[in-house]
Amino acid sequence: MEPKTHGIHHITAIAGDPQKNVDFYVGILGLRMVKKTVNFDDLYTYHLYYGDENGSPGTIMTFFPWTSKARHGRVGVGQLTVTSFSIPAGAMGYWIDRVNKHDIDFKGPGSRFDEEVLTFHDPDGIELELVCSATESRAGWDNGQIPLENSIRGFYHVTLSEEGYERTAGLMETHLGFHKVNESGNRLRLASGERGPGTFVDILSLPDAQPGIMGVGAVHHVAWRISDANSQLDIRDYLLQVGYEVTPVMDRFYFHSIYFREPGGVLFEIATDPPGFTVDEEIEKLGTDLKLPDWLEEKRSVIEENLLPITLPGKR
């Protein structure tokens, strides 16, 4: 039996100023800082993780903040171009008031398939959506700033922009366990597992659009969930057999990862659900201290000296 992925695990993007990033995702969107650590491949750059109370897979938006002087990217073909968060039915009015209150330009709410969609951008230009759907059943997080009944539940879907969607859809349907659930114009929607918020991916066919360039304001990769390490090894072997160049398993401390590029150019990661973000912090303290894996502790002082200080909203 072919191994299957089962929805979005996390999304990682490039930000500019780290404090602006924290202020937006914690202060305005009301996500929790789940983990404050560094990019294990670039030790003097933060790796900031935002999500729900427990850091559940399917809620985790992560950033490498390169500072405000870093090179800006260009959003285009071969990238994940829109990140969509899920909000419960009846929450759209609250969020329109909230983005207005914070002087954030937005479009909508519009309709797509059977959903209400509000569109805006984060401080670095990353396009975000809030999708209101009656099928959302996740609990949300009572963060003390946003009423629980209106809080973001996690991801709804991601949008990949491609020259054409046939090759990418072919990979996902044939080898990753996705199946077609809807199509309209140049938009094809796939879902994995039992379908529902957090399992959807939309593929846009944009044959005349420019290719994307990595930098501030662009998404670096999307990670799909796999249940455990054995299933990850199985899917790695399978992808190698069918011709994809897949990395060895990498220890990301909070999960284990493999990476490869899908035919349209988007970097795909397949990440295990365990061990999770409570492996080095109690739930109550998630995101409060700079956490480093054991193999980096000896470099803590020099790492801290090279990171800009950041403060959670309300803690200044």
Side-chain angles (χ1 to χ4, degrees):
M1 183 177 70
E2 297 172 9
K4 307 292 186 185
T5 60
H6 51 106
I8 303 165
H9 185 283
H10 69 267
I11 296 165
T12 296
I14 308 300
D17 181 80
Q19 187 62 59
K20 287 183 179 179
N21 187 257
V22 173
D23 289 344
F24 184 83
Y25 284 90
V26 176
I28 295 179
L29 295 191
L31 302 179
R32 185 178 191 181
M33 174 78 84
V34 170
K35 194 65 61 181
K36 181 169 62 173
T37 184
V38 296
N39 181 349
F40 296 165
D41 301 319
D42 178 9
L43 301 184
Y44 306 125
T45 296
Y46 280 116
H47 196 175
L48 304 178
Y49 293 75
Y50 308 101
D52 70 359
E53 181 177 13
N54 303 316
S56 306
T59 73
I60 302 297
M61 185 79 185
T62 98
F63 288 91
F64 301 136
W66 283 359
T67 81
S68 58
K69 296 180 180 179
R71 182 190 70 183
H72 277 254
R74 183 177 70 199
V75 175
V77 164
Q79 291 181 332
L80 189 164
T81 50
V82 185
T83 298
S84 301
F85 293 102
S86 182
I87 57 175
M92 186 58 76
Y94 171 86
W95 280 98
I96 291 172
D97 291 343
R98 188 166 180 82
V99 295
N100 265 320
K101 177 183 175 182
H102 290 280
D103 294 324
I104 297 170
D105 292 334
F106 64 92
K107 293 190 299 183
S111 62
R112 178 187 304 138
F113 302 133
D114 58 349
E115 307 138 359
E116 273 189 298
V117 182
L118 190 72
T119 304
F120 52 95
H121 294 81
D122 83 354
D124 294 304
I126 291 175
E127 187 167 340
L128 304 174
E129 292 178 342
L130 295 179
V131 179
C132 190
S133 172
T135 61
E136 177 59 75
S137 60
R138 290 172 288 184
W141 178 43
D142 188 359
N143 58 35
Q145 301 179 54
I146 294 172
L148 178 62
E149 63 268 25
N150 296 318
S151 65
I152 288 174
R153 278 14 188 187
F155 295 118
Y156 190 84
H157 74 280
V158 295
T159 301
L160 310 181
S161 293
E162 309 279 6
E163 289 184 354
Y165 52 60
E166 290 81 5
R167 292 188 302 163
T168 302
L171 159 69
M172 301 189 75
E173 291 181 292
T174 306
H175 304 310
L176 298 183
F178 285 77
H179 50 275
K180 177 182 174 181
V181 294
N182 222 325
E183 185 172 9
S184 178
N186 68 336
R187 180 183 296 268
L188 174 69
R189 173 163 293 182
L190 307 177
S192 62
E194 298 178 355
R195 74 172 66 181
T199 71
F200 296 127
V201 54
D202 286 5
I203 306 175
L204 293 181
S205 178
L206 299 170
D208 298 322
Q210 289 186 312
I213 298 174
M214 193 49 58
V216 173
V219 171
H220 190 269
H221 66 264
V222 55
W224 310 108
R225 297 177 63 181
I226 195 85
S227 55
D228 53 47
N230 288 332
S231 298
Q232 185 182 59
L233 290 174
D234 289 343
I235 204 166
R236 180 176 184 272
D237 289 344
Y238 180 79
L239 289 168
L240 288 169
Q241 289 173 17
V242 296
Y244 288 92
E245 295 184 7
V246 188
T247 69
V249 175
M250 297 184 181
D251 183 359
R252 299 312 191 189
F253 202 69
Y254 308 108
F255 42 85
H256 291 84
S257 301
I258 58 175
Y259 302 84
F260 66 103
R261 288 205 182 270
E262 56 86 21
V266 181
L267 182 61
F268 278 6
E269 175 180 348
I270 297 177
T272 56
D273 283 358
F277 293 97
T278 57
V279 69
D280 61 352
E281 281 180 303
E282 296 177 356
I283 288 179
E284 294 77 12
K285 294 186 175 181
L286 286 176
T288 56
D289 298 315
L290 179 69
K291 304 302 293 186
L292 299 174
D294 293 343
W295 66 85
L296 292 180
E297 278 295 345
E298 65 179 18
K299 297 181 179 179
R300 175 175 284 274
S301 60
V302 68
I303 288 173
E304 290 180 333
E305 287 174 3
N306 283 277
L307 294 174
L308 293 171
I310 54 175
T311 308
L312 291 175
K315 302 294 184 183
R316 297 186 179 94

